[in-house]
Amino acid sequence: QVQLVESGGGLVQAGGSLRLSCAASGRTSSAYVMGWFRQAPGKEREFVAAISWTGGSIYYAESVKGRFTISRDNAKNAVYLQMNSLKPEDTAAYYCAASGRSTVFTTPGLYGHWGQGTQVTVSS
């Protein structure tokens, strides 16, 4: 099993920045592909960004391209999400996810491990 713990969420004004972190522990060999998803109240969980083990494959949702950056530090078993130019519509609970598959994908159901989430609230 892989345990994932997110941190770094909070309240920020529109235009501000936050950096989310996700620490993996346990069977980290099952955290080959790492992703970030978010879920706003009353909405389905949606893909935000994902990164392969080497960092050679990275995908972003269109809504965050150019504003968010995903990165990872395998030595620390950690993945990060730098969020700049935040908008009120970015408000959601953000979840870290991990998969033992080698291909990066955007479908939540293909990730087998999830964190508890961290809340991001962007005020206008």
Side-chain angles (χ1 to χ4, degrees):
Q1 269 291 45
V2 178
Q3 291 78 44
L4 303 172
V5 179
E6 303 96 335
S7 61
L11 174 64
V12 64
Q13 288 188 332
S17 299
L18 283 174
R19 186 187 191 221
L20 303 184
S21 299
C22 174
S25 61
R27 193 173 180 180
T28 55
S29 59
S30 296
Y32 198 78
V33 169
M34 301 291 292
W36 286 97
F37 292 78
R38 65 187 182 187
Q39 188 167 17
K43 295 188 177 181
E44 293 187 353
R45 189 166 297 189
E46 65 173 0
F47 170 76
V48 175
I51 185 169
S52 64
W53 175 261
T54 64
S57 292
I58 292 177
Y59 290 85
Y60 294 101
E62 285 295 326
S63 59
V64 306
K65 274 184 181 178
R67 300 188 298 121
F68 291 11
T69 302
I70 189 171
S71 61
R72 68 187 298 165
D73 184 338
N74 292 334
K76 296 182 178 180
N77 293 319
V79 64
Y80 308 99
L81 186 68
Q82 178 66 43
M83 305 186 295
N84 298 328
S85 302
L86 283 161
K87 305 175 181 180
E89 50 263 43
D90 294 318
T91 295
Y94 282 71
Y95 297 89
C96 176
S99 170
R101 299 170 185 257
S102 59
T103 303
V104 177
F105 41 85
T106 64
T107 307
L110 295 180
Y111 288 81
H113 308 280
W114 292 85
Q116 294 299 307
T118 186
Q119 179 67 34
V120 172
T121 302
V122 184
S123 62
S124 57

